[in-house]
Amino acid sequence: MHVNARKHFAIPPDERVRLAEIDPGDTGSFTAEADAHQATHDALAAIADLQYRLYAEHRHALLIVLQAMDAGGKDGTIRHVFGALSPLSAYAHAFKEPTPEEAAHDFLWRVHKVTPGHGEIAIFNRSHYEDVLVVRVHDLVPEKVWSKRYARINAFEKTLVRGNTTILKFFLHISRDEQLRRFAQRLDDPAHQWKISESDYTERAYWDDYMRAYEAVLEKTSTARAPWYVIPADRKWFRNWAVAQIVAETLRTIDPKTRAPSVDIEEIRAKYHEVERSEHGA
Ligand code: AMP
Ligand code: MG
């Protein structure tokens, strides 16, 4: 029996969260990567099928928010889990430091513009939550400003949900040690050296401040309509399994149905036979 990832990793609304008490190395009932292989594979196949139905139905949108510390596995999750999606109706958007134009607007301006439309799935690599994470940790705006953003984020997400958008928010939870291991791997792997930035190490010094900022996010913005999931992410295969399960299960709940045809299929079929007869002879 495997844990129900959707129930197990969801943060209940208004609950005090202590990240130190959630083990980033947790692998649930699995002991090795091979145990999860089939289940992950099946979930990815289900996601691909459900995405097609979501697209065909054109009624619901799905927004997935990925947040994590540096080297936390956001890119890897996009590649390994969301790589199963067809680019026809899915896209990923990475949020960087605001451009001058973005900074001249309200913090939600750049976010609302890239939310998914009906039939679409959007994956946010970082998000509006940076405005209460990096911004809070480094006092980029006064507390008076950032402290009001939690309520504004909840109101914004409520607006999206009213518009038939389902929202899933994942915090990929890695340990401090695992982050250092991943930085070391990047240093040694020429293919990944480009990912290293000076700020990785300077930000690491603020680890505890980030954990507190994440705890505030989880407490204040995990709602029934837009829940946060804290995913143990030291083991990449377990992270992929958990995220894939939750996405598949959520899409099953949306239960998109391919639309009924807008034309009379029997009439079209009769026309088709007529054309076939005239072009190929009876
Ligand atoms: P990366 O995801 O490694 O490409 O880095 C993107 C950088 O942009 C990270 O250091 C983020 O903290 C930063 N960033 C994203 N959104 C914001 C924001 N709203 N304000 C300040 N920095 C941000
Ligand atoms: Mg980075």
Side-chain angles (χ1 to χ4, degrees):
M1 248 306 278
H2 300 311
V3 294
N4 178 328
R6 208 165 159 221
K7 286 208 182 97
H8 194 73
F9 299 117
I11 300 298
D14 304 315
E15 195 166 280
R16 176 93 182 81
V17 180
R18 287 175 208 282
L19 286 169
E21 290 168 9
I22 303 177
D23 177 11
D26 185 17
T27 57
S29 55
F30 301 118
T31 48
E33 177 165 7
D35 301 343
H37 186 83
Q38 189 62 43
T40 304
H41 181 271
D42 292 349
L44 294 180
I47 289 170
D49 174 55
L50 287 156
Q51 178 198 11
Y52 183 72
R53 289 203 259 149
L54 191 86
Y55 172 64
E57 187 186 47
H58 201 75
R59 253 171 61 82
H60 300 270
L62 178 60
L63 170 60
I64 290 151
V65 169
L66 294 180
Q67 286 287 160
M69 295 295 283
D70 292 314
K74 299 186 297 297
D75 292 0
T77 303
I78 292 174
R79 199 162 52 245
H80 293 288
V81 177
F82 300 106
L85 297 174
S86 162
L88 186 60
S89 59
Y91 59 92
H93 186 89
F95 290 88
K96 308 285 182 184
E97 242 180 84
T99 62
E101 189 189 21
E102 288 168 349
H105 289 80
D106 176 82
F107 78 102
L108 292 168
W109 179 74
R110 66 172 181 167
V111 184
H112 207 158
K113 286 198 296 189
V114 290
T115 52
H118 293 159
E120 290 181 333
I121 300 178
I123 300 111
F124 284 0
N125 184 342
R126 303 187 192 268
S127 64
H128 42 303
Y129 285 97
E130 292 291 322
D131 292 281
V132 285
L133 290 164
V134 64
V135 167
R136 167 175 163 153
V137 168
H138 291 291
D139 300 312
L140 300 181
V141 301
E143 175 166 0
K144 205 169 132 294
V145 176
W146 62 249
S147 63
K148 295 197 179 83
R149 288 182 173 171
Y150 302 97
R152 299 207 34 225
I153 287 172
N154 287 336
F156 169 63
E157 292 181 356
K158 186 172 176 178
T159 303
L160 298 182
V161 171
R162 288 257 167 90
N164 252 3
T165 301
T166 298
I167 305 175
L168 295 175
K169 303 178 293 201
F170 294 104
F171 172 56
L172 310 177
H173 182 37
I174 59 163
S175 63
R176 258 192 108 137
D177 288 349
E178 179 64 15
Q179 186 191 53
L180 202 57
R181 268 193 294 277
R182 291 185 187 180
F183 284 171
Q185 281 164 6
R186 286 180 180 182
L187 284 172
D188 294 340
D189 177 358
H192 282 100
Q193 282 170 350
W194 70 272
K195 280 197 163 190
I196 300 168
S197 73
E198 196 83 55
S199 77
D200 289 345
Y201 293 89
T202 50
E203 287 305 279
R204 191 175 155 76
Y206 294 93
W207 184 279
D208 291 339
D209 293 340
Y210 271 106
M211 290 305 110
R212 250 173 282 140
Y214 269 109
E215 286 171 348
V217 160
L218 297 169
E219 278 163 37
K220 294 173 196 288
T221 65
S222 197
T223 56
R225 72 174 76 87
W228 272 104
Y229 296 89
V230 175
I231 305 296
D234 274 4
R235 303 283 164 272
K236 294 171 181 172
W237 59 266
F238 185 74
R239 169 202 77 200
N240 292 342
W241 171 81
V243 173
Q245 291 302 312
I246 293 166
V247 173
E249 204 44 51
T250 301
L251 282 166
R252 278 192 201 104
T253 305
I254 296 174
D255 192 23
K257 300 194 171 50
T258 44
R259 272 178 294 175
S262 56
V263 294
D264 182 335
I265 290 293
E266 288 318 312
E267 203 176 296
I268 301 262
R269 198 191 305 280
K271 272 195 195 129
Y272 169 82
H273 287 309
E274 209 177 285
V275 170
E276 196 185 32
R277 269 195 305 275
S278 73
E279 290 184 10
H280 298 286

